[in-house]
Amino acid sequence: MEPPDHVAAVILAAGEARRFGSPKQLAPLHGRALLQHVVDAASAAGLAPIIAVVPPDLPLTEADVLLVPNAGPELGMSHSLRLGFAALPDDVEAAVILLGDQPTVDPPLLARLIAARGATPFVSARVDGLLVPPVLVERSHFADIRQPSGDIGLREILREHAELVTAVEEPRGLADVDTVADLAALAEGS
C-alpha cells in the first residue's frame, strides 16, 4: 500500500477499562495484544507517525509507536485526543483517530478514509448509518480537538456539523472490545 502524504495516526488507548477488569490494551487476540492489531493496521496503511495515548504504566515497548502517557484518564476521551494531537509533528497534514479497542479496523478501510480526503475537513467511517471511529481530521480543523470535554471525543462536532463530514461506508462493521465477553466473541468469530 502506498504511504499517504503526511497522514498520522492517533490511537486512543488510555481508558481505564473498568468493564474489562484489566488493561485491555494488552489482552491477547490471535497471538497479539489488542492494541497491537490497531498499530499494525495503521502501519500497514502507511500512517506515520503512529501515536498511542496510553496509561502511564502500560508496559508496551513497540518501536514503531510513539507512546504518549495520559495520567488523567478520568478526564475522558477528549483529554486523550488533546494529548495525542499535541504530540503530532508540524508537517502532518491530517491525522486518523483510531480506538485502541477496535482490533478489526484494517488497512483497506484506512486507505478509503485517506482517499476520501479533500471535500470536507473530517472523513469518518459509517456503520449502519452512524458515524464511528476511525475519523480522519485535516490539519485545518486540529483546533477542534481542543473544544470537546469529557468522554465525547469528536462525536458532538460530527453530529452537529454533518456538512463538514464525508462518510465512508463500512458494511462489515467495526467491533470494539469493552468486556472480556466481547473479546471472547471476537476470538471465536474470526
Side-chain angles (χ1 to χ4, degrees):
M1 188 169 291
E2 187 168 320
D5 293 333
H6 304 285
V7 179
V10 175
I11 303 172
L12 306 179
E16 297 176 284
R18 284 187 287 260
R19 288 182 284 172
F20 196 81
S22 64
K24 66 181 172 181
Q25 303 90 330
L26 303 177
L29 177 66
H30 306 302
R32 292 182 289 156
L34 206 58
L35 177 56
Q36 191 61 50
H37 286 270
V38 182
V39 169
D40 291 349
S43 180
L47 301 178
I50 299 172
I51 295 167
V53 182
V54 297
D57 56 352
L58 190 73
L60 189 68
T61 58
E62 299 305 319
D64 55 348
V65 179
L66 170 62
L67 298 178
V68 174
N70 178 355
E74 71 280 357
L75 298 174
M77 188 182 298
S78 60
H79 183 62
S80 287
L81 276 169
R82 285 192 292 278
L83 290 171
F85 273 71
L88 290 171
D90 291 340
D91 65 343
V92 168
E93 297 171 7
V96 178
I97 301 166
L98 298 125
L99 301 182
D101 64 357
Q102 270 186 332
T104 61
V105 71
D106 62 14
L109 171 59
L110 299 176
R112 291 196 325 268
L113 292 175
I114 294 163
R117 286 180 68 196
T120 60
F122 299 98
V123 181
S124 177
R126 182 165 55 195
V127 176
D128 296 331
L130 297 174
L131 298 175
V132 299
V135 177
L136 182 142
V137 181
E138 294 289 347
R139 175 166 281 286
S140 61
H141 278 66
F142 281 8
D144 291 337
I145 302 303
R146 292 191 273 291
Q147 292 178 7
S149 62
D151 211 30
I152 62 167
L154 290 176
R155 188 176 335 149
E156 293 302 317
I157 292 172
L158 299 180
R159 189 178 299 145
E160 292 175 12
H161 300 285
E163 74 281 3
L164 300 178
V165 184
T166 298
V168 173
E169 296 297 331
E170 181 49 63
R172 63 184 181 91
L174 288 165
D176 65 308
V177 176
D178 291 323
T179 65
V180 173
D182 292 341
L183 182 62
L186 193 58
E188 288 175 16
S190 53

